[in-house]
Amino acid sequence: MSSDLPVGAVLDSGEPARLLASKLNRHTFWCGQSGSGKTYALGVLLEQVLLHTSLPIVVLDPNSDFVKLGSVREDAPSEGSALSGRDIRVLRPGADHDPLKVRFVDMDIRSRAAILQLDPILDREEFNVMLRTDTVQIDKIDEPLVDLLRRTDDPQFQQIAMRLENLGVTEWDLWAWGAADVTDVIDEKADATVVDLGSFGTPEEQQATALAALDHLWAHRDERIGRLVVIDEAHNLCPPTPSTPLERLLTDRIVQIAAEGRKYGIWLLLSTQRPSKVHPNALSQCDNLGLMKMSSARDLAELGDVFGYAPQQMLQRSPAFTQGQVLFAGGFTPNPQLVQVSPRLTHEGGADVAVPLR
């Protein structure tokens, strides 16, 4: 198959529009205001990546928009049938098959501390107790950690159990304990692994799951396995001013991957509604741009400053874009181009709700 990714038609000429698959080894910023077709168009790109490359995709999906990525439309052209043969894993909380779980005991020590809101200096005693939990071999357990800690004779371990309960962490529909978790599935390198964060009940569960996945990828970066890591609605996971310990640590990890991950084969695609809603240190590392309708003059000015390779006259056409029209600029397009994206081959998980008519 061609290494070019057919994504639609060039607006002014009707010629086929293609992106360079080989240049997805740079970080990509994908944005457009609500109603622009941002998620739909991103699905078109991911379908073509699945069809034309063997690049594993990991989608962190806060709105459950990509949970049907493996479900081919009945009216899809013949090329859609090839998608049916791709290995697409969808991890969802509470699912009987491929449940979305995280092993708390396997998470990075800083991530566990952030979940428990422990500061290594201000809460030094409890933090040190958590370090010492390795002495009770918690990596071997197949039951809730609280139950194990409460059975110990050490009152400090019981304090950690109390903190877990008081914060409501034990009630999260997230923990795998001794069972398989999201990192095990990621290691299987499926064609696409969709991590359905949107079905969790709290933002903290979404953030903890995303952090577990990204920590794991970073810890194994020396394996240099190329992956496209899609963070949809990136403002939920990488805001410019994170406010909680968990949010700050997750943002720091994404910024670190944006700054250093490219050479290890961890390539980000950050999708959001406005550039100002994503941490600037992650935004500034993106060498590819997909811009859909954007009416805010302030946002367009910021995009012009950050993405100097996008022609100003093309940026200024963005407010007039109709649904599904996008400006591609940067390394993954031979030249900046205005494109009407193709129809989707698979179903969209987060399609708009129609207004009921009488």
Side-chain angles (χ1 to χ4, degrees), residues 114-134:
I115 290 171
L116 294 180
Q117 300 181 28
L118 286 173
D119 184 277
I121 303 302
L122 300 178
D123 305 299
R124 54 186 175 273
E125 290 187 4
E126 283 185 278
F127 190 92
N128 185 259
V129 171
M130 190 173 62
L131 288 175
R132 292 193 294 111
T133 53
D134 289 339

Side-chain angles (χ1 to χ4, degrees), residues 150-221:
R150 286 205 179 281
R151 287 202 306 272
T152 68
D153 296 328
D154 192 327
Q156 291 182 316
F157 282 170
Q158 294 179 12
Q159 286 182 348
I160 293 292
M162 186 183 302
R163 178 180 281 267
L164 283 163
E165 290 183 325
N166 289 348
L167 291 173
V169 173
T170 56
E171 299 175 8
W172 291 0
D173 185 23
L174 171 62
W175 305 121
W177 305 122
D181 81 338
V182 61
T183 64
D184 296 320
V185 179
I186 288 175
D187 283 345
E188 293 174 10
K189 297 186 286 294
D191 294 312
T193 303
V194 179
V195 182
D196 177 22
L197 303 177
S199 295
F200 282 124
T202 66
E204 291 79 11
E205 288 172 280
Q206 294 189 12
Q207 293 162 4
T209 305
L211 184 57
L214 294 173
D215 277 349
H216 182 75
L217 290 174
W218 186 250
H220 292 81
R221 62 191 181 278

